[in-house]
Amino acid sequence: MSIKWLTKRFTIVLIPGAAASVRRFHLPYAVAYAIIGVLLAGGTLAAFFYARHAESALVNMGLKQQLDGLAASYEQQLTDKNRLLTDKNRQLEEMQNKVIALSRQAGEVKQQVEEMKKLESDLRSYSSDTKTKEPAHTVSKESPLFRQKEGIGGTEIPATELGIEQLSKQAGLSFENSSKQLAALQGSFTLVKQEVLRKARELRHTPNLWPSDTHRITSAFGYREDPFTSRPTFHGGIDFGGPVGSPVYSTADGVVVEAGEDKARGLNIVVEHKQGLRTWYMHLSKLQVEQGDTVQKGQTIGLLGNTGRSTGPHLHYEILVNGEKVDPELYLNESKGDK
């Protein structure tokens, strides 16, 4: 039965056209089924390989996407790391510059403290010295108080962490020491300020001002030959020669207790100050105050003249302490512009 089936044939008829003859092909069943099997097997294999190719393509696409994502993430991380590193370096440089600036400020504060200590010392000297017109010490032009922006330069040598650390420690110690000195100076300055103010008030009532613009002394305090009688006499003041009409100043704050004229003293003024002090101005050409007036140090109270017992234009100036005449030159210290 099976052998008979194998001997059967398929007949394939080809009719090319009306004029051509018909062709017939006889194909055994076994061959036909073999061809069909081969075609089916080939299709199956093709479908299998296509499916595997599609699967591989999908896998490759997924892997590529993952790789692209990883590459982008790595690049972003690298960018972020570089940016963080740049920011860190910039912040480090800013901190180092701040330490340098603080160190410079610490040096300036230290120098200012030294200036203040010198000034405090000079103020103490000023408050205890009646002959001192003003503190001898003045702030140096090299002090930070006077420092101005000027040209700077030099080679660039990068700062080191060790150098900045040492600089920071030095600045901290400098600030600490300056703070302690400033605290001590604060109390000292308060006492000195009170003493200086007291001294200033005292000086306002101390007749240490020159009574005229001229400093030309024509006759000193003490014994002399009298210009009219040629006899030895005592001269109780100082005579200042000058032009008629030049101003005569009160040499300290006070009250006018006398303002008038007599034969010997001419037009004259007596001003009473504190601590038993009085000043007397004689031979004036004009009085500019009256008895009872309050006068200030340096105020014009009259004009130089040649009245009374006088050989020529001059100012006779006396200082009395508790009624006793003393040498005015012991008090003369300031001109009107220095008062």
Side-chain angles (χ1 to χ4, degrees), residues 213-234:
D213 292 330
T214 175
H215 292 187
R216 182 165 56 90
I217 297 176
T218 56
S219 183
F221 176 87
Y223 289 96
R224 68 176 182 180
E225 181 182 337
D226 187 85
F228 290 95
T229 66
S230 298
R231 296 174 182 172
T233 55
F234 179 77

Side-chain angles (χ1 to χ4, degrees), residues 273-324:
H273 314 284
K274 291 184 177 181
Q275 298 179 342
L277 289 167
R278 282 191 174 191
T279 53
W280 206 339
Y281 312 81
M282 306 179 189
H283 310 301
L284 305 176
S285 61
K286 184 178 181 180
L287 305 180
Q288 294 188 336
V289 292
E290 297 179 353
Q291 185 176 353
D293 287 349
T294 298
V295 295
Q296 304 295 319
K297 190 173 188 177
Q299 177 181 336
T300 301
I301 57 176
L303 302 179
L304 187 145
N306 188 28
T307 59
R309 192 171 184 267
S310 170
T311 62
H314 74 285
L315 167 68
H316 176 87
Y317 173 66
E318 291 187 6
I319 294 181
L320 298 91
V321 179
N322 297 322
E324 181 179 352

Side-chain angles (χ1 to χ4, degrees), residues 106-122:
E108 293 176 353
V109 169
K110 181 179 178 180
Q111 188 170 350
Q112 291 177 14
V113 170
E114 293 301 318
E115 296 283 353
M116 291 175 65
K117 289 169 68 175
K118 292 178 182 177
L119 181 60
E120 187 263 352
S121 176
D122 290 337

Side-chain angles (χ1 to χ4, degrees), residues 117-227:
K117 289 169 68 175
K118 292 178 182 177
L119 181 60
E120 187 263 352
S121 176
D122 290 337
L123 286 174
R124 284 187 179 277
S125 299
Y126 172 69
S127 64
S128 61
D129 184 3
T130 58
K131 290 291 183 179
T132 304
K133 294 191 292 184
E134 60 182 11
H137 174 70
T138 56
V139 180
S140 170
K141 294 296 183 180
E142 298 300 321
S143 168
L145 298 174
F146 286 94
R147 187 170 296 160
Q148 298 178 352
K149 291 184 177 180
E150 297 177 351
I152 56 177
T155 58
E156 182 180 6
I157 302 176
T160 63
E161 293 187 6
L162 179 60
I164 294 298
E165 182 179 356
Q166 293 176 346
L167 190 64
S168 177
K169 291 180 180 179
Q170 292 173 359
L173 290 174
S174 180
F175 273 123
E176 183 179 353
N177 292 334
S178 296
S179 297
K180 292 179 180 179
Q181 294 183 41
L182 284 173
L185 281 172
Q186 184 177 5
S188 179
F189 262 114
T190 300
L191 297 177
V192 172
K193 177 183 176 182
Q194 294 174 351
E195 181 63 20
V196 169
L197 290 176
R198 184 195 67 78
K199 191 67 179 180
R201 289 191 295 268
E202 179 182 314
L203 287 176
R204 291 293 306 177
H205 298 275
T206 301
N208 60 343
L209 187 70
W210 285 74
S212 65
D213 292 330
T214 175
H215 292 187
R216 182 165 56 90
I217 297 176
T218 56
S219 183
F221 176 87
Y223 289 96
R224 68 176 182 180
E225 181 182 337
D226 187 85

Side-chain angles (χ1 to χ4, degrees), residues 63-79:
L63 290 175
K64 186 177 184 303
Q65 290 177 350
Q66 292 181 18
L67 182 60
D68 291 342
L70 289 173
S73 176
Y74 175 76
E75 184 177 355
Q76 182 64 40
Q77 290 179 7
L78 186 61
T79 302

